[in-house]
Amino acid sequence: MTRIKLAALAAALLTIASPAAAKSLTVGANIGNVPWEFQDEKSETVGFEVELVKEMAKRMGYDETSFENIPFNGLFSAVQSGRIDAAISSITITKKRLESVSFAQPYYDSDQSLSVLKSSGIEGLKGLNGKVVGVDTGSTGDIYATAHEKELGLSEIRRFEGLSPAMLDLAAGRIDGYISDIPAVAYYIKDKPQYAVVERIPTGEQYSVMFAKDSPLVAEATKAITAMKTDGFLSGLHEKWFGTKPDAATSTVKVAETPKL
C-alpha cells in the first residue's frame, strides 16, 4: 500500500472514530441578574432565562447551550458582531433597539421601579429632588431616569454594571435610590428587609431573547417559544421562580408575533 493510500485510510478511520461535533448555541448574559441569570452556591449558572433559553435551544435542534458573561451594555455589540448567537438579561424590546437588532416573541411583561432604604424616608419619585439615583448602564431604567432627570430634580445619575453593585451602594448610602426592572429588584430584596420598592413606574416593557438584526434564528426561536407557551412550560417556569402562576393576559402565556419596527 502506498504512503498516500495509508494516509487516506488513517483519515477515514479517524472520521469514523470521532463523534459528530455537538451543535451549540452561544448565549451572552449579564450573570448576576437575579432571578434571570446568576450563579448558585455551586457556581452553576441558573435562573429563569437560563432554563428558558436552554429549552428553547433544545427545541431548535441544538445539542447544548453555552453562556458567556458580558456586561449588559456589551450584549448589543456582541450579537451584532456575531461573537454570540443570542443574548438574554431581561432585555426589553424597544423600537430604538429594533433598528439594530432583532428579538423573538416576548415572554415576560415588566415595569420599572424605585427602590430605597426604608430608613431613607423616601416614599416615591417625588422624594428624589436633589438626590442621587443609580441605574444599570444602557438599561430602560437608565433611559427613564435620563429622560426625567430635570422633572425629578435629580442631582446625579450613577451608572452600574448590574443590580448587585447598585444595591450595595444603596445600602452604603452612596446613592439614594435605584431605578430598575421591578421583578429583579423584588426578587433580590425579598429576604432583605432594609430595602423597599416604594413606587412601581408603569413603562409597559416586554422581555425577549435578542439576536443579530434579521438573523434566521429569530423565526426558529419564536416558534420554539410558542410551543413552550402552548404546552405550559413557561407557566411552570414562572411558578418555579416567582412562586405564582402567570396572569393569562401576560406575554408569559399569550402567543405573540415576532416584534418588528
Side-chain angles (χ1 to χ4, degrees), residues 24-31 37 49-50 53-54 56-57 64-70 75 79 83-89 209-211:
S24 178
L25 186 74
T26 304
V27 179
N30 182 25
I31 307 297
E37 42 274 321
E49 287 182 316
V50 170
V53 80
K54 282 183 174 178
M56 182 195 78
E64 59 186 29
T65 306
S66 62
F67 293 92
E68 187 172 337
N69 189 12
I70 298 174
L75 294 171
V79 292
R83 172 181 165 189
I84 55 177
D85 299 313
I88 54 172
S89 274
V209 185
M210 183 171 69
F211 297 89

Side-chain angles (χ1 to χ4, degrees), residues 200-219:
R200 185 179 186 114
I201 306 170
T203 49
E205 299 175 40
Q206 292 185 313
Y207 302 158
S208 191
V209 185
M210 183 171 69
F211 297 89
K213 184 70 174 173
D214 298 327
S215 167
L217 296 179
V218 174

Side-chain angles (χ1 to χ4, degrees), residues 186-194:
Y187 187 89
Y188 181 86
I189 71 173
K190 65 180 182 179
D191 56 354
K192 301 176 181 65
Q194 68 271 34

